[in-house]
Amino acid sequence: MNAFKNHLSLVVALLGILFSLQTFIIVERAIDAYKQNLACNYSLVVVSKKTITEKTFQKKYKIISNVKELAPDNVIKKLNSGIDKKNIELLKLALPKFYRLKLLHYPSPDEVNSLTKSLLRNKDIMKVETFTKSHDSTYKLLLLFKNVITVFAVSVGIITILLISKELKIWQFKHTERMSIMGLFGAPTWLSSAVLFRLAIVDALIASGLAFIVFSYLSSSDWVIGELTNVGISIKIFDKFSDFSMMLGVALLVSLLLASFIVISHKEEV
Amino acid sequence: MDKVIVAQNLSLGYSKDEFIIKDISFSIDSGSFVFITGASGSGKSTLLKSLYGALKPETGSLVVAGVELKGVNKSKLNLLRKHIGIVFQDYKLIKEWTVEKNIMLPLLVGGYDKKVQQDQVEKLLSHVRLKHQALKYPKELSGGEQQRVAMARALSNNPVLILADEPTGNLDDYSSQLIWNLLEGANKDLDSTVIVVTHHIPESMRIEYKHFHIEFGKIHERI
């Protein structure tokens, strides 16, 4: 029971850090994947007096990934009644060219603005339709979501740091006596602090192991996968190897820093 | 006879302006049994602390087992402490360690072989009559038993020097007598130098001893 209590407080604090960090990373990944989906579905329409090739577009604007010329057939169909074939052909030649531009990523409103201005500097381009209203609201929604998660992660982080600083005092109190007694019998610092470092490493392993189990379960749960698929996200949100390594690294760093601080601030009792 | 402790013009204190021990000189022969007495606050414990390097000399020189403690570095001090057994009035046992492991501490620090550690601990547990308590924790023992554990710990690596700070201060007569017997035994059988800080010298002492008395920061030998 005592040994369990010894581990519990630091493990809980470390879990807090790992959960906030991993949640933030997962949300970032999901948002990036969602943005990629949006980028696939989002496009600008450019109206030009003359033909512009895809190469010309891409040479000037690096953000453009794909250009498709829109056939004017639909417009002409609507005007078809009572116009003879010859006139339709003439009309086709007189109509401006319509292009749908796909972008490499989902742009911010500023990027859309600067791209529009830059396109309109071309004398042949008459109009650029950016569908600003729907784009801006989607982008703002994404930003809001990201900010909420960031605030959440930072809050959990701050609470955890407070928990850790409290833990630091408890550890200092608990381990100082043992370290002093061992020192009285000639134990070098590495030996008198070995228990502390062992505890720090074990707690880091326990915390990262627990976080790994929870995130592995969540990332493979049907409910989570279903929810992500519903919004068009089908990426792997939790990479077992790299994410576990990252969590273990962070947990070890925090707990070893804590242990080192106690060892450095330890003074022999007189 | 070899000197295990040589102090010359030694002054000790907790602040640079005020010394508790003032400019004293004395020496202690190797293998002797020494009592240091004095009134409360006279500086007995302060002097003892300086002998294991917890308090550094402010002035003068203090050589313990060949090591000059003025300005001694940590590694040299650790090396010296491996040859000193210390017994405190408040036992200073490690709460989260069992009796067995507490006794093992100096052997652990000394890097002794596991088998040697185990054999020595078993021998000492019998010696202090605590074999049945080996796996208990200090808080499960009485004061007398805890002090016996502390004694066994101090003896475990056959130290050159045993320092005891009022070792029977908190104990009943029976436990006190056991502790005195153990200290006498260590002096006689292990040839360890024993220095005991106490208020009263027990009447039951069966061996020859020296008596130093501290008064007003000065030390005097009483014959």
Side-chain angles (χ1 to χ4, degrees):
Chain A
M1 193 63 195
N2 223 11
F4 177 71
K5 265 195 213 161
N6 275 345
H7 290 286
L8 188 69
S9 40
L10 184 63
V11 168
V12 168
L14 287 174
L15 269 177
I17 290 183
L18 297 183
F19 270 104
S20 60
L21 187 67
Q22 191 62 45
T23 306
F24 182 73
I25 289 170
I26 286 178
V27 169
E28 274 275 318
R29 268 180 208 153
I31 289 176
D32 281 347
Y34 189 64
K35 270 168 116 178
Q36 205 55 48
N37 280 356
L38 286 175
C40 292
N41 297 325
Y42 177 73
S43 56
L44 292 98
V45 173
V46 169
V47 184
S48 166
K49 289 180 213 163
K50 287 182 186 169
T51 305
I52 306 174
T53 63
E54 182 171 3
K55 266 193 182 167
T56 314
F57 269 118
Q58 283 175 333
K59 206 173 168 187
K60 267 194 156 180
Y61 314 103
K62 299 280 180 232
I63 194 173
I64 295 170
S65 68
N66 176 274
V67 178
K68 191 182 171 193
E69 189 178 347
L70 299 171
D73 298 351
N74 282 343
V75 183
I76 290 165
K77 242 183 213 171
K78 284 180 185 169
L79 305 168
N80 205 357
S81 54
I83 302 174
D84 62 33
K85 222 176 177 184
K86 198 179 166 189
N87 284 338
I88 286 174
E89 286 309 313
L90 279 171
L91 191 63
K92 262 189 185 177
L93 287 172
L95 270 178
K97 307 287 176 195
F98 293 88
Y99 297 99
R100 173 177 286 154
L101 309 185
K102 293 258 179 198
L103 305 180
L104 285 170
H105 62 260
Y106 193 64
S108 67
D110 287 345
E111 281 178 302
V112 174
N113 271 339
S114 79
L115 181 63
T116 310
K117 275 182 192 165
S118 177
L119 283 165
L120 286 173
R121 259 182 242 131
N122 185 330
K123 282 173 189 165
D124 292 330
I125 293 176
M126 301 154 66
K127 189 170 169 52
V128 178
E129 179 54 61
T130 57
F131 309 100
T132 314
K133 212 174 169 187
S134 99
H135 167 269
D136 282 7
S137 57
T138 313
Y139 195 84
K140 277 175 187 161
L141 199 70
L142 264 181
L143 265 185
L144 176 73
F145 185 56
K146 198 174 165 182
N147 288 341
V148 166
I149 293 297
T150 309
V151 168
F152 166 75
V154 169
S155 314
V156 174
I158 290 171
I159 292 168
T160 312
I161 287 167
L162 291 176
L163 261 177
I164 294 237
S165 62
K166 189 175 164 252
E167 185 61 21
L168 183 84
K169 282 181 191 148
I170 298 169
W171 266 35
Q172 232 165 352
F173 177 74
K174 244 173 26 187
H175 297 284
T176 296
E177 192 187 18
R178 191 198 56 249
M179 285 167 70
S180 293
I181 295 171
M182 289 182 81
L184 289 173
F185 289 87
T189 309
W190 69 264
L191 185 63
S192 59
S193 57
V195 177
L196 196 63
F197 282 103
R198 203 180 309 136
L199 206 66
I201 291 169
V202 168
D203 287 2
L205 279 169
I206 294 173
S208 42
L210 284 175
F212 173 78
I213 291 168
V214 172
F215 281 108
S216 292
Y217 170 74
L218 286 176
S219 65
S220 59
S221 102
D222 290 342
W223 180 77
V224 173
I225 293 171
E227 289 297 310
L228 290 170
T229 315
N230 281 347
V231 288
I233 298 169
S234 53
I235 56 150
K236 198 160 78 172
I237 55 160
F238 180 70
D239 185 280
K240 284 184 179 167
F241 180 73
S242 68
D243 284 355
F244 175 70
S245 308
M246 186 274 299
M247 286 195 293
L248 182 62
V250 170
L252 278 173
L253 183 76
V254 172
S255 53
L256 290 177
L257 271 177
L258 185 70
S260 307
F261 183 81
I262 291 168
V263 172
I264 291 166
S265 62
H266 171 71
K267 281 188 189 129
E268 195 173 271
E269 278 176 49
V270 178
Chain B
M1 206 170 224
D2 285 347
K3 304 283 183 196
V4 72
I5 293 167
V6 180
Q8 274 176 335
N9 307 108
L10 175 69
S11 295
L12 300 166
Y14 297 95
S15 74
K16 291 222 184 274
D17 326 317
E18 205 180 340
F19 297 150
I20 295 171
I21 297 290
K22 295 160 195 156
D23 195 25
I24 62 168
S25 297
F26 69 96
S27 65
I28 291 173
D29 293 334
S30 182
S32 55
F33 198 112
V34 177
F35 283 106
I36 299 174
T37 59
S40 296
S42 60
K44 313 183 290 289
S45 296
T46 303
L47 179 61
L48 201 80
K49 277 176 185 172
S50 74
L51 299 181
Y52 58 84
L55 197 64
K56 304 272 158 50
E58 292 292 342
T59 63
S61 137
L62 177 62
V63 179
V64 176
V67 178
E68 169 59 79
L69 292 181
K70 193 172 184 200
V72 68
N73 63 32
K74 188 81 181 127
S75 61
K76 237 180 179 176
L77 185 62
N78 281 341
L79 205 66
L80 170 69
R81 283 177 178 179
K82 284 179 187 173
H83 301 286
I84 300 178
I86 317 173
V87 184
F88 300 91
Q89 187 178 6
D90 59 354
Y91 330 125
K92 289 207 191 302
L93 298 174
I94 297 175
K95 289 186 203 95
E96 55 271 29
W97 286 10
T98 59
V99 163
E100 196 177 60
K101 201 169 173 194
N102 266 291
I103 296 173
M104 218 177 258
L105 172 60
L107 302 168
L108 214 71
V109 173
Y112 288 81
D113 183 72
K114 274 246 154 54
K115 175 90 175 71
V116 176
Q117 289 183 24
Q118 206 55 52
D119 290 349
Q120 180 73 338
V121 168
E122 271 180 40
K123 202 174 93 186
L124 284 163
L125 277 168
S126 304
H127 195 50
V128 297
R129 301 180 207 169
L130 285 173
K131 213 166 180 180
H132 58 294
Q133 311 275 44
L135 298 175
K136 288 201 171 157
Y137 288 90
K139 67 175 178 193
E140 298 173 282
L141 307 180
S142 69
E145 287 173 326
Q146 288 191 52
Q147 193 59 302
R148 271 140 69 195
V149 176
M151 265 306 303
R153 178 180 63 185
L155 300 177
S156 67
N157 58 344
N158 302 332
V160 187
L161 178 64
I162 295 173
L163 305 173
D165 190 3
E166 303 197 29
T168 58
N170 288 335
L171 308 182
D172 57 38
D173 289 346
Y174 170 76
S175 298
S176 297
Q177 194 50 56
L178 270 176
I179 297 301
W180 292 126
N181 291 346
L182 288 167
L183 286 169
E184 277 185 36
N187 179 247
K188 217 163 62 183
D189 307 330
L190 303 175
D191 207 25
S192 302
T193 306
V194 178
I195 300 174
V196 183
V197 161
T198 184
H199 280 289
H200 308 286
I201 298 173
E203 286 167 8
S204 58
M205 286 300 289
R206 291 161 298 187
I207 55 169
E208 216 178 284
Y209 61 85
K210 273 190 170 183
H211 177 194
F212 286 103
H213 186 75
I214 299 182
E215 206 170 24
F216 306 118
K218 297 283 183 190
I219 195 163
H220 313 279
E221 190 175 353
R222 284 189 174 171
I223 305 163

